[in-house]
């Protein structure tokens, strides 16, 4: 079961996640050479009678994409100082169009945030704390009090003095374009964003073609909390532990084993989960469901239940008596319910209530996670 964490811990990780960029570019992007934010060239002509040939300055437009690339399958790790939850990891779960969903884990809680790049702003549009399962939330947008806690991370033009007010009323401002920053991964020249709260000040540092490299929060009284880029690894998956429940060899109860789920950016959870249930090495026969079974849909509903629809092969390939079928169903329900952290699972087959030669579920009837038959 998932452990609950204090609200203070969630409050610590949410603002950290607000600046957790995904880093794109090649490995050479971690080089400590200076990164210039604006380049210009000046051309002149001796012909002063023509406006087109007069002296002019061409400024290269620097966009948010340069400082916050939406990069897939990049695992990043930050080293924290001054607070036990200042260290954290970040992974991009989904990217589509101008939105990206990232997940951050600081060892105490895991938070999902959806970012949107639009109208010259990079802003948070949705966040969900204590989210240990993986589900595409790119279409979600917060409203009401939840929306008032979301921030704008960057706003164009990217120049010193440009400022904005976040939904909470807290002001942010670009205060430096060439800040010299030290991190465990190297030294960088960064764009600095300063956010001023009532009792503290936070500075976020972004490097061109890399993203966030450091965050420093001054709490006053010589108390400083920082998170600095320690490692970044490209083309690696996000991994999760899935506890799978399966019938024991005597068909008297359920055993449990752990399987590692491996996702890259934009991988579909229902597909990964179905493959995992087909490959349970410790289970009799090496699987919990048949080889041709697929999951048609899988989602956590606002009513607190998980809704899962299996293909018809879930029943046709089961080939089990009443006792075995009951245990298989309970194993599947326990596995999915525990993964999502819920107690109720509405399981259907090809869009219809579960039905076999032994078990018939009524329309709207759901299964309940139950550990009473799990072997110690």
């Amino acid at each position: 079961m998932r452990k609950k964490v204090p609200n203070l811990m969630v409050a610590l990780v949410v603002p950290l996640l607000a600046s957790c960029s995904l880093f794109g570019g090649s490995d050479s992007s971690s080089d400590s050479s200076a990164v210039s934010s604006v380049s210009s060239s000046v051309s002149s002509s001796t012909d002063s009678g023509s406006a087109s040939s007069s002296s002019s300055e061409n400024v290269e437009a620097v966009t948010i994409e340069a400082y916050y690339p939406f990069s897939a399958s990049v695992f990043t790790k930050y080293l924290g100082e001054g607070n036990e939850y200042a260290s954290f990891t970040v992974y991009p779960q989904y990217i589509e169009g101008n939105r990206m969903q990232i997940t951050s884990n600081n060892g105490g809680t895991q938070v999902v945030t959806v970012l949107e790049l639009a109208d010259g702003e990079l802003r948070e549009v949705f966040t969900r704390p204590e989210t240990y399962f993986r589900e595409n939330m790119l279409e979600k947008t917060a409203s009401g009090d939840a929306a008032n806690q979301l921030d704008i991370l960057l706003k164009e033009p990217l120049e010193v003095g440009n400022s904005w007010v976040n939904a909470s009323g807290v002001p942010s401002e670009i205060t430096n374009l060439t800040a010299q920053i030290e991190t465990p991964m190297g030294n960088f020249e960064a764009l600095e964003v300063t956010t001023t709260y009532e009792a503290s000040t936070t500075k976020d540092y972004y490097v061109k073609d890399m993203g966030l490299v450091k965050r420093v929060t001054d709490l006053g009284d010589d108390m400083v909390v920082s998170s600095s880029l320690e490692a970044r690894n490209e083309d690696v998956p996000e991994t999760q532990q899935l506890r799978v429940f399966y019938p024991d060899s005597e068909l008297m109860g359920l055993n449990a084993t752990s399987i590692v789920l491996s996702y890259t950016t934009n991988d579909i959870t229902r597909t990964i989960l179905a493959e995992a249930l087909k490959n349970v090495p410790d289970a009799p026969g090496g699987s919990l469901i048949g080889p041709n079974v697929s999951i048609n849909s899988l989602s956590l509903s606002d009513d607190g239940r998980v809704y899962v629809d299996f293909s018809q092969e879930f029943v046709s390939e089961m080939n089990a008596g009443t006792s075995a079928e009951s245990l298989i169903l309970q194993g599947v329900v326990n596995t999915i319910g525990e993964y999502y952290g819920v107690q109720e699972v509405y399981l259907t087959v090809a869009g219809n209530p579960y039905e076999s030669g032994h078990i018939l579920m009524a329309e709207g009837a759901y299964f309940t996670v139950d550990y009473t038959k799990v072997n110690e």
Side-chain angles (χ1 to χ4, degrees), residues 242 261 268-279 289-291 293-296 298 310:
L242 174 72
L261 301 181
I268 301 171
T269 300
R270 58 184 171 83
T271 302
I272 301 296
L273 190 60
E275 289 304 309
L277 298 182
K278 295 176 189 177
N279 296 279
I289 62 177
V293 178
S294 61
I295 298 178
N296 299 324
L298 175 68
F310 284 92

Side-chain angles (χ1 to χ4, degrees), residues 4 21 27 31 56 66 112 122 125 148 155 162 182 198 200 204 212 266 275-276 280 283 296 318 345 359 368 376:
K4 294 188 176 179
S21 171
D27 287 339
D31 192 284
S56 63
V112 164
L122 177 64
V125 294
N148 293 333
K155 183 178 177 66
N162 186 30
E182 295 182 2
E198 287 187 8
S200 64
D204 294 312
L212 181 81
N266 288 341
E275 289 304 309
V280 187
N296 299 324
M318 192 173 292
V345 177
I359 300 173
T368 301
E376 294 293 336

Side-chain angles (χ1 to χ4, degrees), residues 144-275:
D145 291 340
N148 293 333
Q149 304 304 313
L150 303 180
D151 293 325
I152 299 170
L153 307 188
L154 288 168
K155 183 178 177 66
E156 295 174 356
L158 301 183
E159 58 185 34
V160 173
N162 186 30
S163 62
W164 59 91
V165 177
N166 297 289
S168 62
V170 174
S172 294
E173 181 181 355
I174 298 175
T175 48
N176 198 337
L177 296 177
T178 58
Q180 302 302 310
I181 300 304
E182 295 182 2
T183 76
M185 272 202 63
N187 301 331
F188 303 96
E189 186 173 272
L191 180 154
E192 177 187 80
V193 175
T194 300
T195 302
T196 305
Y197 301 90
E198 287 187 8
S200 64
T201 300
T202 295
K203 294 181 182 293
D204 294 312
Y205 296 96
Y206 300 90
V207 169
K208 195 174 181 182
D209 297 326
M210 291 192 66
L212 181 81
V213 299
K214 193 166 189 174
R215 155 170 274 216
V216 179
T217 298
D218 188 343
L219 300 169
D221 296 327
D222 296 325
M223 295 179 60
V224 177
V225 177
S226 66
S227 303
S228 303
L229 178 62
E230 182 179 22
R232 61 179 296 275
N233 299 301
E234 298 180 354
D235 300 320
V236 297
E238 175 189 11
T239 59
Q240 295 178 327
Q241 290 287 331
L242 174 72
R243 195 157 74 127
V244 180
F245 298 84
Y246 59 90
D248 60 28
S249 57
E250 290 80 23
L251 300 181
M252 297 296 292
L254 293 170
N255 289 335
T257 188
S258 290
I259 292 179
V260 176
L261 301 181
S262 179
Y263 305 86
T264 57
T265 300
N266 288 341
D267 276 349
I268 301 171
T269 300
R270 58 184 171 83
T271 302
I272 301 296
L273 190 60
E275 289 304 309

Side-chain angles (χ1 to χ4, degrees), residues 49-168:
S50 171
S52 62
S53 61
S54 63
S55 297
S56 63
E57 183 179 273
N58 299 317
V59 179
E60 177 187 349
V62 181
T63 62
I64 290 173
E65 292 94 328
Y67 282 93
Y68 205 115
F70 283 13
S71 301
S73 302
V74 179
F75 176 85
T76 55
K77 182 179 181 181
Y78 294 84
L79 177 65
E81 295 182 356
N83 185 281
E84 61 178 314
Y85 302 117
S87 295
F88 60 95
T89 59
V90 181
Y91 196 83
Q93 294 182 321
Y94 298 97
I95 301 173
E96 184 176 334
N98 68 336
R99 286 195 173 195
M100 175 169 66
Q101 176 178 318
I102 58 179
T103 182
S104 177
N105 190 312
N106 70 347
T109 187
Q110 185 160 310
V111 181
V112 164
T113 295
V114 176
L115 304 174
E116 180 182 72
L117 178 58
D119 303 322
E121 293 182 353
L122 177 64
R123 52 180 175 254
E124 299 173 327
V125 294
F126 178 79
T127 186
R128 189 182 192 279
E130 292 194 65
T131 304
Y132 303 96
F133 59 91
R134 175 160 163 153
E135 185 170 301
N136 190 333
M137 304 180 191
L138 285 176
E139 296 184 356
K140 293 182 178 293
T141 299
S143 60
D145 291 340
N148 293 333
Q149 304 304 313
L150 303 180
D151 293 325
I152 299 170
L153 307 188
L154 288 168
K155 183 178 177 66
E156 295 174 356
L158 301 183
E159 58 185 34
V160 173
N162 186 30
S163 62
W164 59 91
V165 177
N166 297 289
S168 62

Side-chain angles (χ1 to χ4, degrees), residues 346-348 352-354 359-366:
Y346 186 66
L347 189 155
T348 56
N352 298 310
Y354 183 85
I359 300 173
L360 173 63
M361 297 293 289
E363 181 76 32
Y366 54 83

